[in-house]
Amino acid sequence: MAKMGAGHYRQASVQVVNTEMAPGYYGLPVIHGPHWRWSIVFYFVLGGLAGGSAVLAAVAQLVGGYWARPIVRAGRYLAVLAVLPGPLLLIIDLGRPERFHHMLRVLKLRSPMSLGVWGLIGFTATALLNALQQVAEDGLLGRRNPVAHALRCLPTRLLAATSALPAFFLAGYTGVLLGATAVPLWARNALRLGPLFLCSALSSAAAALSLLIGHRPTARRAQHALERVEQVAVLGELILLETLRRSDTVVTRPLREGREGLAYTGARVGSALALVLHSIAKLLPRSPHVWLRMLGSLAALVSAFLLRAAMIFGGRRSAEDPVATIAITRKDTGSPSTAP
Amino acid sequence: MVRNTSALVGTTQARPGAFGFLTDTTLCIGCKACEVACKQWNQLPMDDFGFTGRSYDNTGDLGATTWRHVAFIERVADREGRRPTRLQPFQSNWLMFSDVCKHCVNAGCLEACPTGAIIRTEFDTVVIQQDICNGCGYCVPACPFGVPALSPLDGKAHKCTLCYDRLKDGLEPACSKACPTDAIQFGPVHALLDRAKVRVAELRDQGVDAQLYGDLALGGTGGIGGLNALFILTAPPEVYNLPAQPELPQRRVLPAFLTTALAALALGLATLLTFWRTEKEGAHG
Ligand code: SF4
Ligand code: SF4
């Protein structure tokens, strides 16, 4: 908005009136934004962490040898621990929490939220089974317990393989869910959000598992594998974060301004830091440089959190911006004429 | 207003037997009888009692307790920044526009709803079943027109029902019944569409830059398949805070799942290879 001083007032032309007019209807939002807040941010982060951990545990189970046992164990436990608060976080977000089970009336293939509910249930079931087997293998149910025996007899590799698909789904569907709305920031990036959330899920899970396992000498190879995965995922995340930010300057404005912008920058810095710290730790002589690596993993975790926060709160800001909505809904003519 | 999609002008994919509205903004006098009639019939509580300070529009927007909203748009200056010096053929220099749920032929809100609370009725209108909705709020950003909203009073989503209860009893909706100038007309969508085309042609003959909003070229675009609540506008849709060519958000579900699946495949393979390599390295060293 141009400020008009006393000097400007005399010269004020009709042009000033026109440029002062906000686009659309008094600058009011064209669409309604979502109400989602912190509980959804935490659900997205934990869902990613759970999915990523289950994927890592499954792969470790399928191709890793004895050295990968710590990953299987920590991955199976973390998957369940991270996913269990999920339903609670989703339910407290509802306007009518006591009606949460209405989600179970239908399965709608074109509604990512409906698919997500069923995916969450499927994932929780497989993750629970995997974790229970781990509990039995760890001898926490007693050695001679028939239930424990039955759990130990379950085909381990099959269990691992069946958990991978819902794990990937849980880690990625949230991006599709955001993309299937009219919110400009999400709608324009619908194809990118799923892959971005997947990368972030895998990197944060690898980071969390690495921190959980610890850098003891017997876990050297496990740490090595986790670090490699974390670096690949973080690299993908970084590329997607950058291309998303540069893709469309009108729509991605919330990612460059204010607190959401700060969070997004934090996510970029965190990912870059994770990549750099792990690389330095590798290149420096006299490995393992435990502190550098732990710092890198911590940065990846913080980045995963900031990314979800920036995306959800940024979407709320984006929905309030009529300029962005008008820009993405004008297809046949060049520039919209906004003055009546 | 240049439109290069002329073949789509005046056509929608409305199903036979569909009912809807035709809101002709050139006839609207801004009396807000529709807003009041809607509130009264549907027993909606009043909104904030205050002044927006913008115009005579103190309602502001459609919401959980406002299912008809009359916008008052003052034509301060034209596209080139000139102030109008003569009166327009209609409404002096005001545009009045009674907004409502568009009852889309393919509705974003309906497809998004994970509880199945939002249904398509036998009149082909879109209704939120209040005994099912659990207030997840997904329909709110899934509507390309900013119509449904969660109510802080009961935590559920609300919007125009096209007076489903009145239609059931053979009555027309409260707003169109109350409208003193017939700016809001109710009827079978196909009849309304024909009437709208005649009216737009008539207005154009009179030198008014009128156009239909809600066909496959404007408003009902991008997989929406047309709107069962049509509008006649005399300015670009954005002036009325309407999106010109919105898209059905669910059109992006399949492509987005495909890119996500591709990413999952790539990341899964990378993880497998990494673990495999680590396994091999151990065997050699
Ligand atoms: S205008 Fe919005 S609320 Fe109304 S039917 Fe279409 S998508 Fe649903
Ligand atoms: S808020 Fe209610 S009507 Fe809207 S999507 Fe959720 S359950 Fe369906």
Side-chain angles (χ1 to χ4, degrees):
Chain A
M1 301 261 152
K3 280 201 201 92
M4 286 202 289
H8 282 94
Y9 187 69
R10 234 170 293 125
Q11 303 162 13
S13 64
V14 282
Q15 201 63 43
V16 174
V17 174
N18 194 28
T19 50
E20 287 240 312
M21 274 201 57
Y25 184 59
Y26 298 106
L28 293 175
V30 178
I31 57 162
H32 287 163
H35 72 281
W36 302 323
R37 295 185 61 82
W38 287 108
S39 68
I40 301 300
V41 174
F42 282 113
Y43 168 70
F44 277 24
V45 176
L46 288 176
L49 211 54
S53 307
V55 166
L56 286 167
V59 173
Q61 181 80 265
L62 291 174
V63 294
Y66 184 74
W67 59 270
R69 294 309 299 166
I71 300 177
V72 175
R73 186 160 173 270
R76 284 165 140 190
Y77 284 144
L78 183 60
V80 143
L81 286 181
V83 83
L84 280 184
L88 211 72
L89 288 169
L90 292 178
I91 288 170
I92 59 167
D93 179 70
L94 295 176
R96 297 297 287 261
E98 80 281 5
R99 291 185 174 181
F100 75 92
H101 60 279
H102 288 194
M103 299 276 192
L104 309 176
R105 298 170 71 235
V106 285
L107 166 63
K108 290 167 78 173
L109 296 181
R110 287 246 279 184
S111 168
M113 193 181 278
S114 172
L115 280 177
V117 167
W118 293 105
L120 179 62
I121 291 172
F123 175 83
T124 309
T126 57
L128 257 178
L129 216 56
N130 270 290
L132 280 176
Q133 185 176 55
Q134 193 60 41
V135 168
E137 279 173 13
D138 288 347
L140 295 177
L141 294 176
R143 279 286 146 204
R144 262 180 299 237
N145 185 333
V147 180
H149 182 70
L151 280 169
R152 276 197 300 273
C153 285
L154 287 177
T156 309
R157 282 169 173 244
L158 192 71
L159 268 190
T162 46
S163 73
L165 196 70
F168 273 122
F169 176 85
L170 186 74
Y173 89 91
T174 45
V176 182
L177 184 149
L178 298 186
T181 62
V183 176
L185 174 66
W186 299 339
R188 262 291 159 91
N189 292 296
L191 299 183
R192 287 198 190 95
L193 286 177
L196 177 59
F197 283 4
L198 268 184
C199 286
S200 162
L202 199 63
S203 68
S204 62
L209 290 181
S210 153
L211 289 173
L212 281 177
I213 290 169
H215 288 262
R216 49 203 152 79
T218 46
R220 275 282 281 281
R221 284 174 74 191
Q223 285 291 358
H224 210 55
L226 285 177
E227 188 175 55
R228 281 172 171 169
V229 173
E230 187 182 327
Q231 279 189 303
V232 170
V234 145
L235 188 67
E237 189 182 335
L238 214 48
I239 293 171
L240 284 165
L241 282 170
E242 287 307 313
T243 53
L244 193 155
R245 207 177 82 98
R246 280 153 214 259
S247 60
D248 182 328
T249 46
V250 178
V251 158
T252 57
R253 221 176 71 190
L255 301 183
R256 262 175 279 112
E257 291 171 1
R259 279 193 288 179
E260 294 81 4
L262 217 60
Y264 197 74
T265 309
R268 289 160 63 216
V269 170
S271 298
L273 214 59
L275 195 65
V276 169
L277 287 178
H278 282 294
S279 306
I280 291 179
K282 257 188 194 166
L283 291 175
L284 279 184
R286 287 185 296 116
S287 248
H289 300 287
V290 170
W291 285 106
L292 275 185
R293 298 198 143 125
M294 283 173 70
L295 220 58
S297 298
L298 222 59
L301 277 175
V302 171
S303 154
F305 174 74
L306 289 178
L307 166 65
R308 304 315 196 287
M311 267 306 155
I312 288 174
F313 288 103
R316 292 175 54 126
R317 282 268 305 277
S318 175
E320 289 165 8
D321 180 5
V323 180
T325 310
I326 289 172
I328 69 162
T329 52
R330 255 289 157 184
K331 273 147 201 158
D332 59 355
T333 56
S335 61
S337 63
T338 50
Chain B
M1 269 157 269
V2 194
R3 283 207 258 158
N4 52 19
T5 42
S6 46
L8 305 173
V9 174
T11 55
T12 81
Q13 290 163 359
R15 284 161 279 261
F19 282 87
F21 286 128
L22 170 61
T23 306
D24 184 346
T25 63
T26 63
L27 297 178
C28 179
I29 55 171
C31 72
K32 302 193 199 188
C34 52
E35 262 190 57
V36 176
C38 174
K39 286 241 179 210
Q40 193 170 31
W41 178 263
N42 293 299
Q43 300 184 320
L44 300 173
M46 78 170 192
D47 303 308
D48 282 345
F49 188 65
F51 295 109
T52 58
R54 283 184 219 101
S55 69
Y56 294 111
D57 174 11
N58 291 311
T59 309
D61 190 13
L62 290 173
T65 53
T66 307
W67 300 348
R68 269 273 178 198
H69 160 232
V70 183
F72 284 63
I73 302 139
E74 194 168 4
R75 294 164 78 94
V76 190
D78 72 2
R79 277 175 233 171
E80 278 74 46
R82 293 171 305 211
R83 278 178 186 281
T85 50
R86 277 179 305 137
L87 288 185
Q88 305 286 318
F90 294 93
Q91 302 164 323
S92 64
N93 288 314
W94 286 92
L95 299 177
M96 279 116 187
F97 162 63
S98 177
D99 199 5
V100 71
C101 168
K102 281 66 185 180
H103 294 277
C104 310
V105 172
N106 300 311
C109 64
L110 187 154
E111 296 206 14
C113 178
T115 63
I118 308 188
I119 54 158
R120 190 163 295 280
T121 68
E122 64 271 39
F123 307 105
D124 235 30
T125 54
V126 179
V127 171
I128 305 178
Q129 302 177 93
Q130 289 303 316
D131 53 338
I132 305 293
C133 171
N134 67 9
C136 75
Y138 195 28
C139 55
V140 176
C143 166
F145 304 94
V147 174
L150 288 180
S151 166
L153 298 173
D154 66 1
K156 294 182 285 185
H158 299 272
K159 70 168 194 74
C160 162
T161 66
L162 216 135
C163 282
Y164 182 60
D165 49 351
R166 290 175 62 94
L167 297 199
K168 274 272 188 203
D169 284 344
L171 299 168
E172 70 174 306
C175 57
S176 62
K177 180 85 187 171
C179 180
T181 63
D182 248 356
I184 302 175
Q185 297 167 33
F186 166 79
V189 172
H190 287 279
L192 293 177
L193 205 56
D194 291 340
R195 205 180 299 168
K197 282 188 270 194
V198 172
R199 175 69 179 156
V200 167
E202 197 179 286
L203 285 165
R204 291 214 168 156
D205 281 347
Q206 296 173 29
V208 181
D209 196 4
Q211 58 184 340
L212 178 67
Y213 183 86
D215 57 17
L216 294 178
L218 199 70
T221 50
I224 295 172
L227 310 177
N228 285 349
L230 302 156
F231 299 86
I232 292 173
L233 309 178
T234 57
E238 285 88 359
V239 169
Y240 303 87
N241 236 16
L242 291 170
Q245 273 117 0
E247 192 184 31
L248 183 69
Q250 285 73 25
R251 274 229 299 211
R252 296 187 286 265
V253 170
L254 188 61
F257 265 127
L258 283 180
T259 58
T260 308
L262 274 180
L265 202 70
L267 286 172
L269 276 179
T271 311
L272 262 172
L273 279 177
T274 304
F275 275 75
W276 191 63
R277 219 176 98 197
T278 314
E279 172 80 17
K280 281 274 132 64
E281 279 170 5
H284 296 310

